Amino acid sequence: MPTVLRKYGIRFHFYGSDMSEPPHIHASADGHKAKVWLTEITVADSGGFNKRDLARMIEVSTEHRGELLEAWNEFSKRVS
């Protein structure tokens, strides 16, 4: 599960086992795990994060959307 980005203490990464789903990024911090869709930036699973952290995830995913999608495409080629 490669780490693509770290910001605000949140680790943004992929899991190779769910690359058949639409593009998304997993976010982990302090024992919580969330999932953000990248096609239309929305939280798929909040994983116990508070509203402030979820807002940060949306902010980071929006700001780095191109980079995250590029990493998604590269990683999906390697695991398929």
Side-chain angles (χ1 to χ4, degrees):
M1 74 181 133
T3 298
V4 179
L5 181 67
R6 286 185 192 270
K7 196 162 186 179
Y8 301 122
I10 302 168
R11 177 177 166 249
F12 293 86
H13 56 93
F14 301 126
Y15 290 112
S17 61
D18 62 1
M19 299 308 286
S20 62
E21 294 182 19
H24 63 278
I25 194 82
H26 292 272
S28 302
D30 300 325
H32 301 295
K33 295 178 184 175
K35 180 163 126 180
V36 178
W37 297 118
L38 295 173
T39 306
E40 184 175 319
I41 304 290
T42 54
V43 175
D45 181 5
S46 62
F49 280 99
N50 63 41
K51 288 181 182 183
R52 185 187 75 192
D53 287 334
L54 291 171
R56 284 181 170 170
M57 279 180 232
I58 294 294
E59 173 192 326
V60 171
S61 297
T62 300
E63 180 182 347
H64 296 277
R65 182 174 179 263
E67 174 186 345
L68 297 172
L69 283 168
E70 186 177 323
W72 169 275
N73 290 329
E74 257 324 290
F75 185 64
S76 68
K77 287 177 193 174
R78 284 187 268 146
V79 296
S80 54

